[in-house]
């Protein structure tokens, strides 16, 4: 559903702000509409209004053009740091503990439910930007990022940027489906903060 596409477009960009402990100020949208507005365009606009309302974030502007072929969407989220220094990936130090703001694997389960046609409600699996959590954690952490590409890959990126190594006790990681723990650790799109 194009409403879900709009939701994900905004939420994933706001998640990048959350990973910096930032407060969102607004978004800029680049969107290609069909020559004749159709149901997909209307659903995208509905989803955009829904997600912007959910986060209380204004659409500041952008560029909308007509075109043919596959739809193209781009979004830039603009935010303001609420704590200095702004957390980066490069601040982790030996002896730090690794924490997550929530469980992993819901995106994988949602994708599979939609792919398999199990009748799942797609809105139940929409990603959430952890904005309040990021702002609360910013003064407390040495490094922070969102888990967009799976815990294993993103933890590696954090360790590499910080010049350290990270040991993960996989049994202690909260997951949506314990029987598929390994899949939950490597699947992306959960957008919890690490």
């Amino acid at each position: 559903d194009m409403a879900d596409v709009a939701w994900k477009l905004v939420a994933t960009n706001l998640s990048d702000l959350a990973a910096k402990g930032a407060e969102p100020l607004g978004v800029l949208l680049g969107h290609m509409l069909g020559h004749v507005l159709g149901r997909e365009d209307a659903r995208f606009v509905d989803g955009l209004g829904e997600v912007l309302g959910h986060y209380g974030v204004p659409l500041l502007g952008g560029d909308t053009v007509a075109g043919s072929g596959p739809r193209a969407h781009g979004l830039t989220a603009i935010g303001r740091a609420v704590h200095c220094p702004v957390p980066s990936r490069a601040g982790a130090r030996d002896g730090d503990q690794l924490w997550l703001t929530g469980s992993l694997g819901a995106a994988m389960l949602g994708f599979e439910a939609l792919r398999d046609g199990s009748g799942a409600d797609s809105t139940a699996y929409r990603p959430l930007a952890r904005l309040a959590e990021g702002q609360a954690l910013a003064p407390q952490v040495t490094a922070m990022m969102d888990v967009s590409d799976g815990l294993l890959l993103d933890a590696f990126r954090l360790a590499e940027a910080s010049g350290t190594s990270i040991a993960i006790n996989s049994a202690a990681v909260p997951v949506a489906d314990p029987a598929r723990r390994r899949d939950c650790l490597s699947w992306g799109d959960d957008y919890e903060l690490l």
Side-chain angles (χ1 to χ4, degrees), residues 6 44-54:
F44 183 86
V45 170
D46 289 345
L48 183 65
E50 188 179 354
V51 68
L52 293 175
H54 176 83

Side-chain angles (χ1 to χ4, degrees), residues 6 17 27 38 64 72 83 148:
L17 295 180
V27 298
T64 303
H83 174 75
S148 57

Side-chain angles (χ1 to χ4, degrees), residues 93-95 155 159-160 162-167:
R93 299 183 299 257
D94 292 344
E160 187 173 52
S162 297
T164 189
S165 61
I166 295 177

Side-chain angles (χ1 to χ4, degrees), residues 4-5 7-19 55 89 99-108 125-134 137 144-151 154 157 184 187-194:
D4 295 332
V5 172
W7 182 284
K8 183 175 181 182
L9 184 65
V10 173
T12 58
N13 278 274
L14 293 179
S15 184
D16 288 335
L17 295 180
Y55 289 106
R89 296 179 181 192
W99 293 88
L100 282 167
T101 55
S103 67
L104 303 176
M108 174 188 72
Y125 299 103
R126 286 177 170 175
L128 295 172
R130 303 296 183 195
L131 292 165
E133 294 89 336
L137 289 168
M144 187 163 51
M145 65 183 292
D146 64 352
V147 179
S148 57
D149 296 321
L151 175 64
D154 287 331
R157 289 174 174 154
C184 291
W187 192 274
D189 286 334
D190 285 304
Y191 298 95
E192 296 296 340
L193 297 179
L194 173 67

Side-chain angles (χ1 to χ4, degrees), residues 8-189:
K8 183 175 181 182
L9 184 65
V10 173
T12 58
N13 278 274
L14 293 179
S15 184
D16 288 335
L17 295 180
K20 300 302 174 198
E23 170 189 22
L25 300 176
V27 298
L28 301 170
L29 173 68
H31 179 63
M32 184 178 78
L33 301 169
H35 288 296
V36 177
L37 297 182
R39 176 167 164 64
E40 285 188 356
D41 296 315
R43 290 297 297 148
F44 183 86
V45 170
D46 289 345
L48 183 65
E50 188 179 354
V51 68
L52 293 175
H54 176 83
Y55 289 106
V57 174
L59 175 62
L60 300 174
D63 191 24
T64 303
V65 297
S68 60
R71 302 293 194 263
H73 315 282
L75 187 121
T76 301
I78 300 169
R80 174 182 73 80
V82 298
H83 174 75
C84 290
V86 172
S88 76
R89 296 179 181 192
R93 299 183 299 257
D94 292 344
D96 284 353
Q97 294 182 356
L98 188 66
W99 293 88
L100 282 167
T101 55
S103 67
L104 303 176
M108 174 188 72
L109 298 177
F111 171 79
E112 290 172 350
L114 292 171
R115 178 198 64 203
D116 299 340
S118 68
D121 176 13
S122 63
T123 62
Y125 299 103
R126 286 177 170 175
L128 295 172
R130 303 296 183 195
L131 292 165
E133 294 89 336
Q135 291 172 24
L137 289 168
Q140 310 298 322
V141 300
T142 58
M144 187 163 51
M145 65 183 292
D146 64 352
V147 179
S148 57
D149 296 321
L151 175 64
L152 300 179
L153 181 55
D154 287 331
F156 169 78
R157 289 174 174 154
L158 190 141
E160 187 173 52
S162 297
T164 189
S165 61
I166 295 177
I168 299 173
N169 177 357
S170 62
V173 177
V175 294
D177 184 355
R180 299 181 58 198
R181 179 171 298 280
R182 185 177 184 149
D183 293 335
C184 291
L185 297 180
S186 59
W187 192 274
D189 286 334

